[in-house]
């Protein structure tokens, strides 16, 4: 019996040793993986997963006379960060083009002008997808991104940045939905009739959402438009997440604990986003990614330059070239430390830690100020994936970050809209 027990014990030890040996090569391979092999593995993952950027202000470019999205533009010469060739170079499968209207006078004339400009940008997006239907497609529903990816095309979604073009007419929300809009950022850098901004120099006006803003959120829920709280102040966030019947999004916001900026989200907000089922989309705007040292001379020069600017939509080609040159000269004279891909993934790490892997995504803010060292334009977005792989994120996690989480929220928003419409009809 003693010999039998000894033999059985030996067999168990050998089996355990054999099973341990099966697991070891993977660990050894991971430790000995060269940088070149890691990058290649990351690029393969990047190509396999759906990559979705939730925020680009490119429609401002698309209404410029002669601007062709099918042509590759040099960002250093033109300032343009997105076009269809560079989306392909960066393996960026889908994008939300946000029709951005800067806040102006809040009266009938101002609202009318804002609406007209918003519709012009929306129509320009639709026209561009029609002209280039061999390489892109207009997307209206979550699964459209996957269907277009299978066809080898880029999926183009439409959003609105700033609720200003809604004016004081609730029916405009449905008009925009019928035009293809699938998210609306409630407010921008100044308060509007819907809500308070995080950065209005006059402070809060409504204490978060206005009474009309509450109606707008309800209408967005009913129609199936994602409610976007980026740019809103803290009170707006709490009002919206409490009121909305569907999960909400922040289409381009970061973590305030990592970078102390009022546009970023506190840990309490991140936890509530997780409870709500929503998603925070990381943005590539330097000031939200890293804290720059005080530079009063730069701030003063930048304020003066912006104060004398016309709206971009009203500039001639020569005026746009001149203003780009002025910004470049200012940046050269008063340089700020660059933001990098490391900063981006530091924010992702923090949001994953606080809210979980199901509540973080990517919203680069290209053509609206976004663009950092390593992710300067749409052709370089794969560098985010490379850094995620370097830090040990799995392909499943990367798929969630790059598109899966936003698509899940999008589907839930649509499902709740169907339910609300069904209840309203009964």
């Amino acid at each position: 019996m003693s010999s039998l027990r000894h033999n059985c014990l030996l067999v168990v030890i050998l089996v355990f040793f054999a099973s341990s040996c099966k697991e070891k090569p993977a660990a050894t391979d991971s430790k000995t993986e060269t940088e070149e092999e890691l990058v290649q593995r990351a690029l393969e993952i990047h190509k396999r997963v759906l990559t979705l950027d939730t925020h680009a202000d490119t429609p401002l470019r698309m209404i410029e006379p002669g601007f062709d999205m099918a042509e590759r533009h040099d960002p250093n010469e033109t300032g343009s960060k997105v076009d269809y060739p560079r989306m392909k170079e960066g393996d960026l499968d889908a994008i939300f083009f946000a029709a951005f209207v800067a806040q102006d006078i809040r009266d009938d004339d101002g609202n009318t002008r804002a609406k007209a400009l918003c519709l012009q940008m929306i129509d320009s997006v639709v026209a561009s997808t029609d002209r280039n239907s061999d390489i892109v497609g207009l997307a209206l529903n979550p699964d459209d991104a996957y269907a277009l990816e299978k066809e080898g095309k880029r999926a183009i979604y439409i959003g609105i940045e700033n609720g200003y073009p809604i004016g004081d007419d609730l029916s405009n929300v449905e008009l925009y939905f019928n035009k293809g809009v699938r998210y609306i950022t409630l407010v921008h850098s100044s308060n509007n009739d819907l809500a308070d901004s995080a950065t209005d120099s006059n402070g809060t006006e409504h204490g978060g959402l206005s009474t009309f803003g509450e109606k707008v959120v309800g209408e967005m829920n009913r129609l199936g438009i994602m409610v976007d709280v980026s740019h809103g102040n803290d009170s707006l966030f709490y009002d919206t997440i409490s009121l909305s019947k569907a999960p909400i999004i922040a289409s381009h916001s970061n973590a305030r604990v990592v970078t102390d900026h009022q546009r970023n989200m506190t840990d309490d907000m991140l936890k509530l986003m997780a409870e709500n089922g929503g998603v925070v989309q990381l943005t590539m705007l330097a000031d939200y990614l890293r804290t720059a040292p005080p530079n009063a001379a730069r701030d003063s020069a930048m304020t003066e330059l912006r104060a004398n600017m016309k709206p971009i939509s009203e500039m001639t080609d020569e005026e746009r070239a001149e203003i780009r040159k002025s910004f470049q000269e200012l940046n050269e004279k008063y340089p700020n430390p660059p933001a990098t891909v490391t900063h981006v993934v530091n924010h992702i790490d923090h949001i994953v830690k606080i809210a979980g892997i199901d509540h973080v995504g990517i919203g680069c803010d290209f053509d609206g100020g976004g663009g950092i060292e390593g992710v300067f334009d749409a052709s370089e977005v794969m560098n985010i994936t490379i850094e995620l792989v370097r830090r040990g994120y799995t392909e499943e996690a990367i798929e969630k970050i790059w598109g899966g989480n936003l698509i899940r929220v999008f589907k839930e928003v649509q499902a709740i809209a169907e339910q609300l419409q069904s209840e309203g009809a009964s």
Side-chain angles (χ1 to χ4, degrees):
M1 287 293 291
S2 173
S3 174
L4 181 59
R5 280 198 303 270
H6 176 78
N7 290 339
C8 288
L9 181 60
L10 183 61
V11 169
V12 169
I13 291 171
L14 288 172
V15 169
F16 176 79
F17 179 75
S19 66
S20 298
C21 289
K22 287 179 183 177
E23 293 174 4
K24 252 188 168 178
T28 303
D29 288 347
S30 176
K31 288 177 182 176
T32 59
E33 185 178 41
T34 66
E35 176 67 10
E36 184 179 353
E37 290 169 339
L38 182 147
V39 169
Q40 185 57 40
R41 180 162 63 90
L43 293 176
E44 290 169 2
I45 291 172
H46 188 78
K47 194 167 190 67
R48 282 195 296 269
V49 304
L50 178 77
T51 50
L52 168 61
D53 175 359
T54 53
H55 195 82
D57 289 297
T58 308
L60 283 169
R61 295 276 178 184
M62 297 165 81
I63 61 174
E64 294 177 13
F67 186 85
D68 186 356
M69 284 293 292
E71 176 186 334
R72 192 191 194 285
H73 301 265
D74 185 333
N76 295 304
E77 291 181 6
T78 67
S80 160
K81 299 295 182 72
V82 180
D83 50 46
Y84 302 143
R86 281 180 288 170
M87 285 184 70
K88 185 174 182 179
E89 288 173 28
D91 268 319
L92 183 58
D93 299 314
I95 197 165
F96 272 84
F97 284 149
F100 165 64
V101 181
Q103 193 61 48
D104 202 348
I105 299 170
R106 289 156 54 183
D107 59 15
D108 288 345
D109 288 343
N111 292 343
T112 299
R113 289 194 300 270
K115 180 178 177 180
L117 179 56
C118 185
L119 290 172
Q120 181 188 3
M121 284 188 278
I122 292 169
D123 289 344
S124 74
V125 174
V126 175
S128 178
T129 59
D130 287 343
R131 281 195 306 271
N132 298 284
S133 58
D134 56 326
I135 54 174
V136 299
L138 185 65
L140 300 173
N141 300 302
D143 289 333
D144 291 348
Y146 297 102
L148 286 162
E149 182 189 27
K150 286 181 181 178
E151 295 177 29
K153 298 180 181 182
R154 311 292 140 180
I156 309 301
Y157 290 98
I158 301 174
I160 292 176
E161 184 176 26
N162 195 6
Y164 178 39
I166 296 171
D168 56 6
D169 186 350
L170 193 63
S171 69
N172 282 332
V173 180
E174 187 162 7
L175 169 67
Y176 296 134
F177 176 81
N178 291 336
K179 284 279 191 178
V181 170
R182 292 299 178 265
Y183 82 66
I184 297 175
T185 315
L186 296 174
V187 70
H188 192 245
S189 57
S190 302
N191 303 335
N192 62 20
D193 287 340
L194 281 65
D196 290 331
S197 168
T199 52
D200 194 304
S201 58
N202 294 318
T204 61
E205 178 181 339
H206 310 290
L209 279 174
S210 69
T211 301
F212 180 64
E214 292 174 355
K215 293 177 181 177
V216 168
V217 169
E219 183 69 350
M220 290 170 70
N221 285 169
R222 185 186 72 83
L223 293 167
I225 300 175
M226 289 179 282
V227 180
D228 178 19
V229 295
S230 285
H231 282 286
N233 76 350
D234 292 3
S235 295
L236 177 146
F237 170 83
Y238 288 111
D239 283 354
T240 305
I241 205 164
S242 174
L243 177 68
S244 179
K245 293 180 172 64
I248 66 173
I249 68 169
S251 68
H252 56 304
S253 295
N254 296 345
R256 198 177 300 179
V257 164
V258 182
T259 304
D260 188 13
H261 192 290
Q262 66 267 42
R263 268 280 283 108
N264 290 341
M265 306 187 79
T266 66
D267 281 3
D268 184 59
M269 293 175 179
L270 296 177
K271 291 172 185 175
L272 285 174
M273 284 293 268
E275 292 177 16
N276 169 263
V279 61
V280 180
Q281 306 287 113
L282 258 292
T283 195
M284 309 298 129
L285 205 143
D287 286 347
Y288 306 159
L289 287 169
R290 57 93 182 99
T291 302
N295 192 333
R298 174 189 170 87
D299 293 344
S300 177
M302 189 72 75
T303 299
E304 183 178 354
L305 181 58
R306 286 175 172 157
N308 296 316
M309 275 177 58
K310 288 183 185 177
I312 292 175
S313 59
E314 297 177 13
M315 292 182 186
T316 64
D317 289 345
E318 292 76 18
E319 287 171 331
R320 290 191 189 99
E322 188 61 33
I323 201 68
R324 279 195 293 271
K325 182 181 176 184
S326 297
F327 275 114
Q328 287 170 357
E329 289 173 351
L330 191 152
N331 286 326
E332 289 170 6
K333 186 175 181 180
Y334 305 107
N336 259 338
T340 67
V341 184
T342 298
H343 293 115
V344 171
V345 184
N346 286 346
H347 280 264
I348 290 175
D349 283 348
H350 184 78
I351 294 175
V352 169
K353 175 184 174 184
I354 301 301
I357 191 64
D358 296 319
H359 306 285
V360 61
I362 306 291
C364 294
D365 203 7
F366 289 139
D367 292 329
I372 60 168
E373 189 175 285
V375 192
F376 191 61
D377 68 3
S379 71
E380 296 185 330
V381 295
M382 77 287 286
N383 289 331
I384 301 170
T385 305
I386 292 170
E387 181 63 17
L388 288 168
V389 169
R390 185 174 286 117
R391 297 201 192 185
Y393 282 85
T394 65
E395 181 167 340
E396 180 186 9
I398 292 168
E399 189 278 330
K400 288 183 176 186
I401 293 168
W402 256 122
N405 291 335
L406 190 283
I407 292 293
R408 170 185 55 77
V409 171
F410 196 174
K411 287 180 177 179
E412 289 177 24
V413 167
Q414 286 195 338
I416 288 169
E418 290 177 9
Q419 180 185 338
L420 292 172
Q421 290 171 27
S422 176
E423 292 171 356
S426 60

